[in-house]
Amino acid sequence: FRILDLAARLLFALGVGCLLLAGYLAWMTLSFAREAASTTGEVVSYIESPDGDEVRYRPRIRFRTAAGDIVTTSGQLSAATKRFEIGTQVPVVYRPERPTEARVALFVDNWLGACLATVIGLVGLAGGYLVRRSIRRELARMPASSPG
């Protein structure tokens, strides 16, 4: 039962760690959004990055700030396929003081990390709880050892 107890503790630790990460990612996204301005950008090209035998594509987006400056930045997510056609209009959020750190204003680009970390954290906590519960049930079924 020591191995199962260790597994339960590790699952709990994984769950807590992932939930802390999810909270941090959500806080970062919310704090970015609180200070951000919104606009629409245009996908103008892709940055291709080799990843083993595959190529990953990261969109380059051009937009105009409220001050009238034209900024070109790359999206924060790369994918195995080109997510948008060249010329596609996409929603963009940016901090007026740092427009080159803009983000595509879609769920996947802003909330996917926090959501995945939350799901993994909850699964880890549930798994740790279920393993601990099964250990306790098995221990309760075992006859008490008599001295001598």
Side-chain angles (χ1 to χ4, degrees), residues 3-141:
I3 291 290
L4 288 176
D5 186 52
L6 177 62
R9 290 174 190 259
L10 289 174
L11 284 170
F12 275 128
L14 172 70
V16 169
C18 284
L19 289 175
L20 288 172
L21 174 63
Y24 172 76
L25 292 174
W27 178 75
M28 292 297 288
T29 297
L30 289 171
S31 66
F32 184 90
R34 189 177 318 116
E35 302 167 5
S38 298
T39 190
T40 300
E42 179 181 354
V43 177
V44 293
S45 66
Y46 277 89
I47 297 172
E48 297 181 7
S49 305
D51 184 19
D53 294 339
E54 293 184 353
V55 175
R56 310 278 302 169
Y57 300 96
R58 189 177 207 176
R60 299 224 355 111
I61 300 161
R62 182 171 295 141
F63 64 95
R64 184 180 302 272
T65 67
D69 299 324
I70 295 176
V71 177
T72 303
T73 188
S74 56
Q76 63 268 33
L77 289 181
S78 62
T81 60
K82 294 180 179 179
R83 295 173 55 205
F84 312 104
E85 294 288 327
I86 302 294
T88 300
Q89 300 290 309
V90 294
V92 175
V93 289
Y94 66 94
R95 287 187 175 152
E97 70 275 6
R98 283 180 274 172
T100 56
E101 296 177 10
R103 296 182 179 185
V104 176
L106 297 174
F107 176 84
V108 169
D109 296 85
N110 292 288
W111 292 103
L112 183 63
C115 289
L116 287 176
T118 299
V119 168
I120 293 169
L122 292 174
V123 167
L125 287 178
Y129 170 76
L130 292 174
V131 170
R132 291 287 293 220
R133 191 174 83 176
S134 75
I135 291 171
R136 288 188 181 140
R137 283 185 177 173
E138 288 301 317
L139 289 174
R141 287 183 190 164

